[in-house]
């Protein structure tokens, strides 16, 4: 009598760490292979700082703009990387595909966050190099604090980008992100001190998360900041939580 034997066909499951690592590498490759995203994100803050902070800067402008442009340099990777790319993934069906895969739900989000953090750090490092060549020297502790602020900026800004990308179409996402990106930079004093603008700008500044990030960055270059460090951190974490909650609620409904 013949007996049938069942040969196990199960494959070993990939480790969670490997899944996160592969997803992060794919996200980084996608960013680097998109010149329309990578080149402006890396070059614009550096070129603007070299022009307005070094060549045309007077007094403490090189120090002030070094701090604020490190925040400005973190804006594009986070807002565009999360906002525009999420809208594209939604309309292209990639988000639905990833949900169907045996993939940890947080893997795509953390991969994109890592991309934004690395781009923000790279921009900050180049800005620090340009500043050093121009004679703006910082102690090692100040450099580390400035890099920490640049990396931390990716969290609330990425959450805002995620919220935008969950609500708008792929064709509208770049315009909507620009409507947030450019006014936030101006209204938060990232391009020029708010003290030289009408008082209403300073009054409204605490409403913008990028202003709070700037207040965290300014002490790293030896300049005074407004408000308490812990208040700024709490506000930024609250912005992150609210934006993520709204984005998650929207994605659950529309995918």
């Amino acid at each position: 009598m013949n007996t049938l034997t069942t040969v196990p066909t199960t494959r070993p499951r990939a480790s969670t760490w490997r899944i996160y690592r592969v997803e992060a590498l794919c996200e980084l490759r996608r960013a680097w292979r998109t010149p329309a995203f990578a080149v402006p994100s890396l070059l614009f803050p550096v070129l603007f700082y070299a022009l307005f902070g070094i060549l045309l800067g007077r007094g403490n402008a090189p120090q002030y703009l070094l701090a604020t442009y490190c925040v400005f340099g973190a804006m594009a990777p986070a807002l565009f990387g999360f906002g525009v790319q999420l809208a594209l993934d939604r309309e292209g069906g990639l988000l639905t595909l990833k949900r169907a895969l045996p993939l940890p739900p947080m893997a795509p989000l953390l991969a994109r966050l890592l991309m934004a953090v690395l781009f923000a750090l790279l921009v900050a490092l180049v800005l620090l190099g340009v500043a050093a060549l121009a004679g703006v020297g910082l102690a090692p502790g100040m450099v580390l604090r400035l890099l920490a602020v640049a990396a931390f900026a990716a969290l609330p800004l990425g959450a805002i980008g995620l919220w935008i990308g969950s609500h708008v179409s792929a064709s509208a996402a770049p315009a909507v992100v620009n409507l947030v990106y450019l006014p936030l930079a101006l209204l938060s004093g990232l391009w020029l001190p708010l003290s030289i603008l009408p008082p209403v700008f300073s009054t409204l500044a605490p409403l913008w998360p990028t202003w709070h990030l700037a207040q965290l960055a300014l002490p790293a270059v030896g300049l005074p900041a407004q408000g308490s460090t812990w208040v700024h951190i709490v506000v930024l974490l609250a912005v992150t939580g609210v934006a993520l909650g709204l984005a998650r609620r929207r994605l659950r409904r529309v995918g």
Side-chain angles (χ1 to χ4, degrees):
M1 180 177 179
N2 295 329
T3 59
L4 297 177
T5 58
T6 303
V7 179
T9 59
T10 58
R11 298 179 180 177
R13 295 180 60 185
S15 67
T16 302
W17 161 247
R18 184 175 181 274
I19 293 174
Y20 280 103
R21 181 172 61 84
V22 171
E23 186 69 18
L25 289 175
C26 290
E27 187 64 36
L28 290 173
R29 288 194 186 103
R30 176 165 65 172
W32 280 113
R33 292 172 180 175
T34 311
F37 168 79
V39 174
S41 297
L42 295 175
L43 289 187
F44 282 178
V46 177
L47 293 177
F48 290 161
Y49 176 69
L51 177 61
F52 298 110
I54 303 300
L55 297 179
L56 302 178
R58 298 293 183 270
N60 63 1
Q63 290 84 0
Y64 178 90
L65 291 179
L66 174 60
T68 58
Y69 269 96
C70 282
V71 176
F72 179 61
M75 291 181 69
L79 290 174
F80 285 93
F82 277 88
V84 176
Q85 195 59 57
L86 177 64
L88 290 170
D89 289 350
R90 283 176 49 231
E91 290 200 3
L94 183 59
L95 187 62
T96 302
L97 174 63
K98 287 191 174 184
R99 285 177 171 176
L101 295 174
L103 189 72
M106 290 295 293
L109 180 63
L110 292 179
R112 203 155 292 172
L113 178 62
L114 177 62
M115 178 275 299
V117 169
L118 291 179
F119 266 78
L121 288 175
L122 183 57
V123 173
L125 286 170
V126 177
L127 287 170
L128 286 165
V130 173
L133 291 175
V136 181
L138 297 180
M142 300 168 77
V143 171
L144 290 177
R145 177 168 180 173
L146 198 55
L147 292 175
V149 173
F152 177 63
L155 189 62
L157 295 173
I160 294 171
L162 194 70
W163 173 62
I164 294 172
S166 66
H167 281 76
V168 301
S169 65
S171 58
V176 174
V177 170
N178 272 309
L179 287 175
V180 174
Y181 174 52
L182 299 177
L184 272 184
L186 174 64
L187 297 174
S188 303
L190 302 186
W191 289 345
L192 67 169
L194 293 174
S195 58
I196 67 176
L197 297 175
V200 65
F201 286 85
S202 297
T203 302
L204 297 177
L207 296 175
W208 323 125
T210 37
W211 179 83
H212 294 277
L213 288 167
Q215 302 313 305
L216 294 178
L218 287 172
V221 296
L223 295 179
Q226 300 181 41
S228 165
T229 297
W230 288 108
V231 170
H232 296 313
I233 293 175
V234 169
V235 169
L236 291 167
L237 291 177
V239 169
T240 302
V242 171
L244 286 178
L246 293 174
R248 183 182 181 186
R249 181 180 178 184
R250 173 70 174 179
L251 290 173
R252 279 183 170 179
R253 293 206 307 262
V254 301

